[in-house]
Coordinates of all heavy atoms in Angstrom, one line a residue:
V269 N 16.5 -94.5 16.2 CA 16.8 -95.1 17.5 C 16.6 -94.0 18.6 O 17.0 -92.9 18.5 CB 18.3 -95.6 17.5 CG1 18.6 -96.1 18.9 CG2 18.5 -96.6 16.5
F270 N 15.9 -94.4 19.7 CA 15.7 -93.5 20.8 C 15.6 -94.4 22.1 O 15.3 -95.6 22.0 CB 14.5 -92.6 20.6 CG 13.2 -93.3 20.7 CD1 12.5 -93.3 21.9 CD2 12.7 -93.9 19.6 CE1 11.3 -93.9 22.0 CE2 11.4 -94.5 19.7 CZ 10.7 -94.5 20.9
A271 N 15.8 -93.8 23.2 CA 15.7 -94.4 24.5 C 14.9 -93.5 25.4 O 15.1 -92.3 25.4 CB 17.0 -94.8 25.1
I272 N 14.1 -94.1 26.3 CA 13.3 -93.3 27.3 C 13.6 -93.8 28.7 O 14.0 -95.0 28.8 CB 11.8 -93.3 26.9 CG1 11.3 -94.7 27.0 CG2 11.5 -92.7 25.6 CD1 9.8 -94.8 26.9
D275 N 10.1 -92.2 33.3 CA 9.1 -91.2 33.2 C 8.7 -90.9 31.7 O 8.1 -89.8 31.5 CB 9.6 -89.9 33.9 CG 9.8 -90.1 35.3 OD1 9.1 -90.9 36.0 OD2 10.8 -89.6 35.9
S276 N 9.1 -91.8 30.8 CA 8.8 -91.6 29.4 C 9.5 -90.4 28.8 O 9.1 -89.8 27.8 CB 7.3 -91.5 29.1 OG 6.6 -92.6 29.5
K277 N 10.6 -89.9 29.4 CA 11.3 -88.8 28.9 C 12.4 -89.4 27.9 O 13.2 -90.3 28.3 CB 12.0 -88.0 30.0 CG 12.9 -86.9 29.5 CD 13.5 -86.2 30.7 CE 14.4 -85.1 30.2 NZ 15.1 -84.4 31.3
V278 N 12.5 -88.8 26.8 CA 13.5 -89.2 25.8 C 14.8 -88.8 26.2 O 15.1 -87.6 26.4 CB 13.1 -88.7 24.4 CG1 14.2 -89.1 23.4 CG2 11.8 -89.1 23.9
I279 N 15.8 -89.7 26.4 CA 17.1 -89.4 26.9 C 18.1 -89.5 25.8 O 19.2 -88.9 25.8 CB 17.5 -90.2 28.1 CG1 17.4 -91.7 27.8 CG2 16.6 -89.8 29.3 CD1 17.8 -92.6 28.9
V280 N 17.9 -90.3 24.8 CA 18.8 -90.5 23.6 C 17.9 -90.7 22.4 O 16.9 -91.4 22.4 CB 19.7 -91.7 23.8 CG1 20.6 -91.9 22.6 CG2 20.6 -91.6 25.0
Y281 N 18.3 -90.0 21.3 CA 17.6 -90.2 20.0 C 18.6 -89.7 18.9 O 19.6 -89.1 19.2 CB 16.3 -89.3 20.0 CG 16.6 -87.9 20.0 CD1 16.6 -87.1 18.9 CD2 16.7 -87.2 21.3 CE1 16.8 -85.7 18.9 CE2 16.9 -85.8 21.3 CZ 17.0 -85.1 20.1 OH 17.2 -83.8 20.2
A284 N 17.5 -89.7 12.6 CA 16.5 -90.6 11.9 C 15.2 -90.7 12.6 O 14.1 -90.7 12.0 CB 17.1 -92.0 11.6
A285 N 15.3 -90.7 14.0 CA 14.1 -90.8 14.8 C 13.3 -89.4 14.7 O 12.1 -89.4 14.6 CB 14.4 -91.1 16.3
V286 N 14.1 -88.3 14.6 CA 13.4 -87.0 14.5 C 12.7 -87.0 13.2 O 11.5 -86.4 13.1 CB 14.4 -85.9 14.6 CG1 13.8 -84.5 14.3 CG2 15.0 -85.9 16.0
A287 N 13.3 -87.5 12.1 CA 12.6 -87.5 10.8 C 11.3 -88.3 10.8 O 10.3 -88.0 10.2 CB 13.6 -88.1 9.8
I288 N 11.3 -89.4 11.6 CA 10.1 -90.3 11.7 C 9.1 -89.6 12.5 O 7.9 -89.6 12.2 CB 10.5 -91.6 12.3 CG1 11.4 -92.4 11.4 CG2 9.2 -92.5 12.6 CD1 12.0 -93.7 12.0
W289 N 9.5 -88.9 13.7 CA 8.5 -88.3 14.6 C 7.9 -87.0 13.9 O 6.8 -86.6 14.2 CB 9.2 -87.9 15.9 CG 9.6 -89.1 16.7 CD1 9.2 -90.3 16.6 CD2 10.7 -89.1 17.6 NE1 9.9 -91.1 17.5 CE2 10.9 -90.4 18.1 CE3 11.6 -88.1 18.0 CZ2 11.8 -90.7 19.0 CZ3 12.6 -88.4 19.0 CH2 12.7 -89.7 19.4
G290 N 8.8 -86.3 13.2 CA 8.4 -85.0 12.7 C 8.5 -83.9 13.6 O 8.1 -82.8 13.4
R291 N 9.2 -84.1 14.7 CA 9.5 -83.1 15.7 C 10.6 -83.5 16.6 O 11.1 -84.7 16.5 CB 8.2 -82.8 16.6 CG 7.7 -84.0 17.3 CD 6.5 -83.7 18.1 NE 5.9 -84.9 18.7 CZ 5.0 -84.9 19.6 NH1 4.5 -83.7 20.0 NH2 4.5 -86.0 20.1
R292 N 11.2 -82.6 17.4 CA 12.4 -82.8 18.1 C 12.1 -82.5 19.6 O 11.5 -81.5 19.9 CB 13.5 -81.9 17.6 CG 14.8 -82.1 18.3 CD 15.8 -81.1 17.8 NE 16.0 -81.1 16.4 CZ 16.8 -82.0 15.7 NH1 17.5 -82.8 16.4 NH2 16.8 -81.9 14.4
P293 N 12.6 -83.3 20.5 CA 12.4 -83.0 22.0 C 13.2 -81.8 22.4 O 14.3 -81.5 21.8 CB 13.0 -84.3 22.7 CG 13.0 -85.3 21.6 CD 13.2 -84.7 20.3
M294 N 12.7 -81.0 23.3 CA 13.4 -79.8 23.8 C 14.5 -80.2 24.7 O 14.3 -81.2 25.5 CB 12.4 -78.9 24.5 CG 11.3 -78.3 23.6 SD 10.1 -77.3 24.5 CE 11.2 -76.0 25.0
P298 N 11.1 -82.6 29.3 CA 10.3 -83.7 28.7 C 9.3 -83.2 27.6 O 8.6 -84.0 27.0 CB 9.5 -84.2 29.9 CG 9.4 -83.0 30.8 CD 10.7 -82.3 30.6
H299 N 9.2 -81.9 27.4 CA 8.3 -81.3 26.5 C 8.8 -81.5 25.1 O 10.0 -81.6 24.8 CB 8.1 -79.8 26.8 CG 7.4 -79.6 28.1 ND1 6.3 -78.8 28.3 CD2 7.7 -80.2 29.4 CE1 6.0 -78.8 29.6 NE2 6.8 -79.6 30.2
W300 N 7.8 -81.4 24.1 CA 8.2 -81.5 22.7 C 7.9 -80.1 22.1 O 7.1 -79.3 22.6 CB 7.3 -82.6 22.0 CG 7.6 -84.0 22.5 CD1 7.3 -84.5 23.7 CD2 8.4 -84.9 21.8 NE1 7.8 -85.8 23.8 CE2 8.5 -86.1 22.6 CE3 9.0 -84.9 20.5 CZ2 9.2 -87.2 22.2 CZ3 9.7 -86.0 20.1 CH2 9.8 -87.2 21.0
Q301 N 8.6 -79.9 21.0 CA 8.4 -78.6 20.4 C 7.1 -78.4 19.7 O 6.6 -77.3 19.6 CB 9.5 -78.4 19.3 CG 10.9 -78.3 19.9 CD 12.0 -78.1 18.8 OE1 11.7 -78.2 17.6 NE2 13.2 -77.9 19.2
N302 N 6.4 -79.5 19.5 CA 5.0 -79.4 18.9 C 4.2 -80.6 19.5 O 4.6 -81.7 19.3 CB 5.1 -79.6 17.4 CG 3.7 -79.4 16.7 OD1 2.7 -79.2 17.4 ND2 3.7 -79.4 15.4
R303 N 3.1 -80.2 20.2 CA 2.4 -81.3 20.9 C 1.6 -82.2 19.9 O 1.3 -83.3 20.3 CB 1.4 -80.7 21.9 CG 2.1 -79.9 23.0 CD 1.0 -79.4 24.0 NE 1.6 -78.7 25.1 CZ 0.9 -78.2 26.1 NH1 -0.4 -78.3 26.1 NH2 1.5 -77.5 27.0
T304 N 1.3 -81.7 18.7 CA 0.5 -82.5 17.8 C 1.4 -83.0 16.7 O 2.2 -82.2 16.1 CB -0.6 -81.6 17.2 OG1 -1.4 -81.0 18.3 CG2 -1.5 -82.4 16.3
W305 N 1.2 -84.2 16.4 CA 2.0 -84.8 15.2 C 1.0 -85.7 14.4 O 0.0 -86.1 14.9 CB 3.2 -85.5 15.6 CG 3.0 -86.7 16.5 CD1 2.8 -86.7 17.9 CD2 3.1 -88.0 16.1 NE1 2.7 -87.9 18.3 CE2 2.9 -88.8 17.3 CE3 3.3 -88.7 14.9 CZ2 2.8 -90.2 17.3 CZ3 3.3 -90.1 14.9 CH2 3.0 -90.8 16.1
R306 N 1.4 -86.1 13.2 CA 0.5 -86.8 12.3 C 0.9 -88.2 12.2 O 2.0 -88.6 12.0 CB 0.6 -86.1 10.9 CG -0.4 -86.6 9.9 CD -0.2 -86.0 8.6 NE -0.3 -84.5 8.7 CZ -1.4 -83.8 8.6 NH1 -2.6 -84.5 8.4 NH2 -1.4 -82.5 8.7
Y307 N -0.2 -89.1 12.3 CA 0.0 -90.5 12.0 C 0.2 -90.7 10.5 O -0.2 -89.9 9.7 CB -1.2 -91.3 12.5 CG -1.2 -91.6 14.0 CD1 -2.1 -91.0 14.8 CD2 -0.3 -92.5 14.5 CE1 -2.1 -91.3 16.2 CE2 -0.3 -92.8 15.9 CZ -1.2 -92.2 16.7 OH -1.2 -92.5 18.0
P308 N 0.7 -91.9 10.1 CA 0.8 -92.2 8.7 C -0.5 -92.1 7.9 O -0.5 -91.9 6.7 CB 1.4 -93.6 8.6 CG 2.1 -93.7 10.0 CD 1.3 -92.9 10.9
L313 N -3.2 -86.5 16.4 CA -3.5 -87.0 17.8 C -2.8 -86.1 18.8 O -1.6 -85.7 18.6 CB -2.9 -88.4 17.9 CG -3.1 -89.0 19.3 CD1 -4.6 -89.3 19.7 CD2 -2.3 -90.3 19.5
E314 N -3.6 -85.6 19.7 CA -3.0 -84.8 20.8 C -2.2 -85.7 21.7 O -2.7 -86.6 22.3 CB -4.1 -84.1 21.6 CG -4.8 -83.0 20.9 CD -3.9 -81.8 20.7 OE1 -3.0 -81.6 21.5 OE2 -4.1 -81.1 19.7
Q315 N -0.9 -85.4 21.7 CA 0.1 -86.2 22.4 C 0.4 -85.6 23.8 O 0.5 -84.4 23.9 CB 1.3 -86.4 21.6 CG 2.4 -87.3 22.2 CD 2.0 -88.7 22.2 OE1 1.1 -89.1 21.4 NE2 2.7 -89.6 22.9
D316 N 0.5 -86.5 24.8 CA 0.9 -86.0 26.2 C 2.3 -85.4 26.1 O 3.2 -86.0 25.5 CB 0.9 -87.2 27.1 CG 1.3 -86.8 28.6 OD1 1.5 -85.6 28.8 OD2 1.4 -87.7 29.4
E317 N 2.4 -84.2 26.6 CA 3.7 -83.5 26.4 C 4.9 -84.1 27.2 O 6.0 -83.9 26.9 CB 3.6 -82.0 26.9 CG 3.3 -81.9 28.4 CD 3.1 -80.5 28.8 OE1 3.0 -79.6 27.9 OE2 3.1 -80.3 30.0
N318 N 4.5 -85.0 28.1 CA 5.6 -85.7 28.9 C 5.9 -87.1 28.3 O 6.8 -87.8 28.9 CB 5.2 -85.9 30.4 CG 5.1 -84.5 31.1 OD1 5.9 -83.7 30.8 ND2 4.1 -84.4 32.0
A319 N 5.3 -87.5 27.3 CA 5.5 -88.8 26.7 C 6.2 -88.8 25.4 O 6.2 -87.8 24.7 CB 4.1 -89.5 26.6
A320 N 6.9 -89.9 25.1 CA 7.5 -90.0 23.8 C 6.4 -90.4 22.8 O 5.4 -90.8 23.1 CB 8.6 -91.1 23.9
P321 N 6.7 -90.1 21.5 CA 5.7 -90.5 20.4 C 5.4 -92.0 20.5 O 6.3 -92.8 20.6 CB 6.5 -90.1 19.1 CG 7.5 -89.1 19.6 CD 7.9 -89.5 20.9
D322 N 4.2 -92.3 20.4 CA 3.7 -93.7 20.4 C 3.2 -94.1 19.1 O 2.1 -94.4 18.8 CB 2.6 -93.9 21.5 CG 1.5 -92.9 21.4 OD1 1.6 -92.0 20.4 OD2 0.6 -92.9 22.2
W323 N 4.1 -94.2 18.1 CA 3.9 -94.4 16.7 C 3.8 -95.9 16.5 O 4.5 -96.5 15.7 CB 5.0 -93.8 15.9 CG 4.6 -93.1 14.7 CD1 3.6 -92.2 14.6 CD2 5.3 -93.1 13.5 NE1 3.6 -91.6 13.4 CE2 4.6 -92.2 12.7 CE3 6.4 -93.8 13.0 CZ2 5.0 -91.9 11.4 CZ3 6.7 -93.6 11.7 CH2 6.1 -92.7 10.9
V324 N 3.0 -96.6 17.3 CA 2.9 -98.1 17.2 C 1.5 -98.4 16.8 O 0.5 -98.0 17.5 CB 3.2 -98.8 18.5 CG1 3.1 -100.3 18.4 CG2 4.6 -98.4 19.0
L325 N 1.3 -99.1 15.7 CA 0.0 -99.5 15.1 C -0.2 -101.0 15.1 O 0.8 -101.8 14.9 CB -0.1 -99.0 13.7 CG 0.1 -97.5 13.5 CD1 0.0 -97.1 12.0 CD2 -0.9 -96.7 14.3
P331 N -4.1 -97.5 16.5 CA -3.0 -97.3 17.5 C -3.0 -98.5 18.5 O -4.0 -98.9 19.0 CB -3.3 -96.0 18.1 CG -4.1 -95.3 17.2 CD -4.9 -96.3 16.4
F332 N -1.8 -99.1 18.7 CA -1.6 -100.2 19.6 C -1.8 -99.7 21.0 O -1.2 -98.6 21.4 CB -0.3 -100.8 19.4 CG -0.2 -102.2 19.9 CD1 -0.9 -103.3 19.2 CD2 0.5 -102.5 21.1 CE1 -0.8 -104.6 19.7 CE2 0.6 -103.8 21.5 CZ -0.1 -104.8 20.9
L334 N -1.3 -98.5 24.7 CA 0.0 -98.1 25.3 C 0.5 -99.2 26.3 O 1.7 -99.5 26.4 CB -0.1 -96.8 26.0 CG 1.1 -96.3 26.7 CD1 2.2 -96.0 25.7 CD2 0.8 -95.0 27.4
R337 N 2.3 -102.3 24.8 CA 3.4 -102.2 23.9 C 4.7 -102.8 24.6 O 4.8 -102.8 25.8 CB 3.7 -100.7 23.6 CG 2.5 -100.2 22.8 CD 2.6 -98.7 22.6 NE 1.4 -98.1 22.0 CZ 1.2 -96.9 21.8 NH1 2.1 -96.0 22.2 NH2 0.0 -96.5 21.3
M339 N 7.7 -101.7 25.0 CA 8.5 -100.8 25.9 C 7.8 -100.6 27.3 O 8.4 -100.6 28.3 CB 8.7 -99.5 25.2 CG 9.7 -98.6 26.0 SD 10.1 -97.1 25.0 CE 11.1 -97.9 23.7
S340 N 6.4 -100.5 27.2 CA 5.7 -100.4 28.5 C 5.8 -101.7 29.3 O 5.9 -101.6 30.5 CB 4.2 -100.1 28.2 OG 4.1 -98.9 27.5
R343 N 9.3 -101.8 30.9 CA 9.4 -100.9 32.1 C 8.6 -101.4 33.3 O 9.1 -101.3 34.4 CB 8.8 -99.5 31.7 CG 9.8 -98.7 30.9 CD 9.5 -97.2 31.0 NE 8.0 -97.0 31.0 CZ 7.4 -96.2 30.1 NH1 8.0 -95.6 29.2 NH2 6.1 -96.0 30.2

Side-chain angles (χ1 to χ4, degrees):
V269 178
F270 71 96
I272 62 174
D275 296 325
S276 297
K277 178 181 177 181
V278 178
I279 55 177
V280 177
Y281 65 94
V286 173
I288 296 174
W289 298 332
R291 56 183 177 169
R292 183 186 304 275
M294 296 178 63
H299 296 228
W300 293 76
Q301 292 180 355
N302 185 359
R303 295 185 181 182
T304 304
W305 62 282
R306 187 182 302 275
Y307 278 111
L313 177 67
E314 287 291 333
Q315 181 73 13
D316 183 1
E317 64 181 11
N318 293 323
D322 48 2
W323 225 43
V324 181
L325 302 179
F332 200 73
L334 180 64
R337 297 173 189 175
M339 189 171 292
S340 299
R343 283 203 320 240

